[in-house]
Amino acid sequence: MEPTGFAHWLVVVVETFAALFLLLLALLVVVVMVVWFVDRNQTTNSVLRNYPVVGHFRYWFLHLGEFFRQYLYSSDREELPFNRAQRTWVYRAAKNVDNTNAFGSTRNLRGEGVPFFVNAPFPALGEKHVEARPVTLGPYAREPYQHAAFFNISAMSFGALSAPAVRALSHGAAKAGIWMDTGEGGLAPYHLEGGCDIIFEIGTAKYGVRTPDGKLDDDKLLAICAHKQVKMVSIKLGQGAKPGMGGLLPAAKVTPEIAAIRGIPVGQDSQSPNRHLDIGNVHELMDAIQHIRDLTGKPVGFKAVMGGVDWIAELCDEVRKRGIESAPDFIIVDGSEGGTGAAPQTLMEGVGLPLHESLPALVDMLIVKGLRERIKVICSGKCITAYDVAWALSMGADFVNSARGFMLALGCIQSLQCNRNTCPTGITTQNPKLQRGLVVTDKSERVANYATNLMHEVGIIAHSCGVEEPRQLNRTHCRVVGDDGLSVPLVKLHPYPVAPHASAHG
Ligand SMILES: Cc1cc2nc3c(=O)[nH]c(=O)nc-3n(C[C@H](O)[C@H](O)[C@H](O)COP(=O)(O)O)c2cc1C
């Protein structure tokens, strides 16, 4: 008997799906056979030549591993550049939620290189605790800069960062009373929006203050420094992640807005030179510092990654010849472990001194040359938790900058895609669909919380060590674990050199 009504339609649907299924199966078999044939006969990939078709799973799993490792497989203290414990600490500080742990630390406290602080038998009483005192930068500039906060936002350009990220940093910095460095991409309206103090960075391509042929345009620099928020100017000689190499801004990222701010043609690759065209030695660096300070009236210094400090000695000798006013007002030392929007792996991993070596080397050279007070030291390089920052202050830094700490505060999940325009949290992408995820009002709170909570906890370390404020920490307050599992005081690892004469101010 023929099926009728509902039963008839059911048969038709089942038969259609069965036919479709068989068709798809046949297609799949054909595709697999074609891929098998291509893999087997290609000559560039040995795995696919020996294991056609299934060999592709290796690449798929490698790709998926990038995403799943941090959730499923890595332990709390395993990943790099920042492990889960460090990231979680920043997230919690940024969200202003309870940052206490239970039972005990998962950090190996006996591991080589681990720093810890020595508590005083009689810690400073609560009423003795004071806020970090202001430090004066550029005492000989027409507009010296006084700044108290010892933890600030490191250089990251608009271009590497999205507009919402820059806006959230600007508002957050203003709330926390910290500065924000523009990075080498020029000054965007987004930097000014929140009202924070700004360090204007001049990169090797002089973006934002360049003539068409890449020289410094004094008028453009004057216009930027006319903003009251711009407090200092930093000449970027180099950056830890790519010492000796300029950056490439790919054509796709050179939007009309970014091109206008940087002063370059729209939609063309923009390559920064490896160094400033007009700064090829210490004398020319000093000339540039003097010129910019005279022109703008602002304190001027430079950012560099150290390969050694002989050239700093030469610079100090030149300061002695020219006069104490001629000195750079600050030096930002960036460790080779520093981050970047994009850099070759070889330079990231293999060139430049890490901060643990370059910071004491720089501080000691300035002490030896009697310029330690005159030239303020700012440092950066994976200082994202309270004890990293306390270590840097103990070693002799006046200020600590962080880039990636603040990216984590903005919601970065360390997906390592800053160079691909695909950042899933909207921080380092120019794709408006992805930028939508970053809500400025919420993230600016987190930026402010992170800075405030971190500085508060450095204060806790300082008070436990028996000093009144964090900048009083010194090399006697910190010990570092050696290869035998026993710790050595920083002051023994890096003894203070003897200053040449009493005049520490030069
Ligand atoms: C996304 C990104 C962009 C950066 N852009 C600049 C820049 O324009 N100029 C610069 O001097 N350094 C730049 N840096 C380096 C940082 O300012 C900083 O020196 C380095 O990352 C070390 O700090 P951190 O370990 O806290 O990230 C950038 C870093 C990142 C992660």
Side-chain angles (χ1 to χ4, degrees), residues 191-497:
H191 290 114
L192 297 168
E193 195 181 289
C196 65
D197 287 357
I198 284 174
I199 315 299
F200 179 71
E201 182 177 87
I202 305 180
T204 57
K206 297 188 169 65
Y207 289 130
V209 288
R210 57 185 266 129
T211 57
D213 56 349
K215 300 209 177 87
L216 181 68
D217 185 323
D218 285 356
D219 293 335
K220 286 186 182 165
L221 182 58
L222 267 178
I224 281 174
C225 289
H227 292 284
K228 279 273 169 266
Q229 277 171 257
V230 177
K231 301 294 182 185
M232 304 204 288
V233 178
S234 168
I235 301 172
K236 176 186 173 183
L237 299 185
Q239 142 182 15
K242 41 185 171 182
M245 191 189 175
L248 174 78
L249 192 69
K253 279 199 157 187
V254 188
T255 62
E257 186 183 31
I258 288 172
I261 289 170
R262 294 191 180 215
I264 51 174
V266 183
Q268 289 179 22
D269 282 349
S270 181
Q271 175 79 52
S272 319
N274 294 343
R275 69 164 170 82
H276 289 266
L277 304 180
D278 53 341
I279 305 179
N281 54 47
V282 158
H283 304 270
E284 288 172 359
L285 173 60
M286 298 267 302
D287 292 345
I289 291 170
Q290 196 58 53
H291 171 71
I292 295 172
R293 191 165 40 211
D294 288 346
L295 181 76
T296 63
K298 315 270 175 181
V300 181
F302 63 87
K303 173 172 181 173
V305 47
M306 302 288 158
V309 286
D310 288 352
W311 68 283
I312 299 290
E314 197 190 331
L315 181 123
C316 293
D317 293 341
E318 185 65 18
V319 170
R320 288 283 168 212
K321 277 189 215 146
R322 295 190 188 198
I324 196 70
E325 321 75 45
S326 68
D329 296 308
F330 59 88
I331 298 176
I332 305 176
V333 51
D334 198 24
S336 58
E337 61 276 71
T340 174
Q345 189 172 350
T346 310
L347 279 183
M348 261 190 199
E349 296 173 359
V351 183
L353 293 182
L355 193 63
H356 279 70
E357 293 185 35
S358 54
L359 176 60
L362 173 65
V363 169
D364 289 355
M365 182 53 77
L366 295 178
I367 295 175
V368 166
K369 296 292 180 182
L371 291 169
R372 177 62 197 88
E373 285 303 313
R374 170 69 182 92
I375 302 176
K376 299 301 176 209
V377 174
I378 305 169
C379 74
S380 50
K382 291 181 89 167
C383 295
I384 68 160
T385 62
Y387 45 71
D388 300 326
V389 173
W391 167 86
L393 295 178
S394 303
M395 196 59 103
D398 296 297
F399 299 93
V400 180
N401 275 349
S402 178
R404 286 169 295 177
F406 283 98
M407 287 172 72
L408 292 170
L410 285 172
C412 166
I413 57 168
Q414 195 170 278
S415 63
L416 310 180
Q417 299 183 42
C418 314
N419 57 344
R420 287 191 228 152
N421 213 21
T422 51
C423 171
T425 53
I427 300 171
T428 58
T429 174
Q430 301 307 320
N431 179 341
K433 285 188 190 138
L434 293 169
Q435 290 179 0
R436 189 181 169 278
L438 199 163
V439 178
V440 174
T441 43
D442 176 59
K443 296 298 188 269
S444 62
E445 285 297 330
R446 294 193 187 187
V447 166
N449 289 339
Y450 170 51
T452 309
N453 286 328
L454 182 142
M455 287 193 277
H456 173 72
E457 296 212 4
V458 178
I460 291 178
I461 293 175
H463 304 146
S464 171
C465 290
V467 297
E468 290 176 356
E469 68 125 326
R471 284 202 187 86
Q472 290 173 355
L473 288 168
N474 62 44
R475 295 181 194 175
T476 64
H477 295 119
C478 182
R479 296 174 72 98
V480 178
V481 180
D483 56 5
D484 54 1
L486 297 175
S487 67
V488 185
L490 267 192
V491 71
K492 203 163 169 197
L493 281 176
H494 302 283
Y496 286 109

Side-chain angles (χ1 to χ4, degrees), residues 74-253:
S74 298
S75 79
D76 279 357
R77 300 282 174 178
E78 215 172 51
E79 291 161 276
L80 288 168
F82 301 104
N83 61 45
R84 190 186 297 134
Q86 291 169 309
R87 297 197 306 269
T88 305
W89 188 88
V90 176
Y91 293 146
R92 289 175 155 264
K95 289 179 189 163
N96 213 9
V97 296
D98 175 32
N99 223 344
T100 56
N101 287 345
F103 201 62
S105 175
T106 58
R107 189 182 200 202
N108 175 10
L109 300 174
R110 307 293 293 275
E112 191 180 347
V114 169
F116 60 84
F117 296 86
V118 287
N119 56 299
F122 310 106
L125 284 174
E127 65 264 24
K128 282 268 182 194
H129 298 177
V130 290
E131 295 286 307
R133 296 184 180 95
V135 170
T136 303
L137 298 108
Y140 299 97
R142 289 198 300 281
E143 298 173 34
Y145 176 44
Q146 289 217 321
H147 190 68
F150 52 84
F151 185 62
N152 297 278
I153 303 176
S154 195
M156 288 180 282
S157 62
F158 169 54
L161 295 188
S162 65
V166 176
R167 293 175 58 213
L169 288 172
S170 170
H171 285 276
K175 273 184 208 137
I178 62 177
W179 76 52
M180 174 189 195
D181 189 317
T182 58
E184 62 185 312
L187 180 74
Y190 312 118
H191 290 114
L192 297 168
E193 195 181 289
C196 65
D197 287 357
I198 284 174
I199 315 299
F200 179 71
E201 182 177 87
I202 305 180
T204 57
K206 297 188 169 65
Y207 289 130
V209 288
R210 57 185 266 129
T211 57
D213 56 349
K215 300 209 177 87
L216 181 68
D217 185 323
D218 285 356
D219 293 335
K220 286 186 182 165
L221 182 58
L222 267 178
I224 281 174
C225 289
H227 292 284
K228 279 273 169 266
Q229 277 171 257
V230 177
K231 301 294 182 185
M232 304 204 288
V233 178
S234 168
I235 301 172
K236 176 186 173 183
L237 299 185
Q239 142 182 15
K242 41 185 171 182
M245 191 189 175
L248 174 78
L249 192 69
K253 279 199 157 187

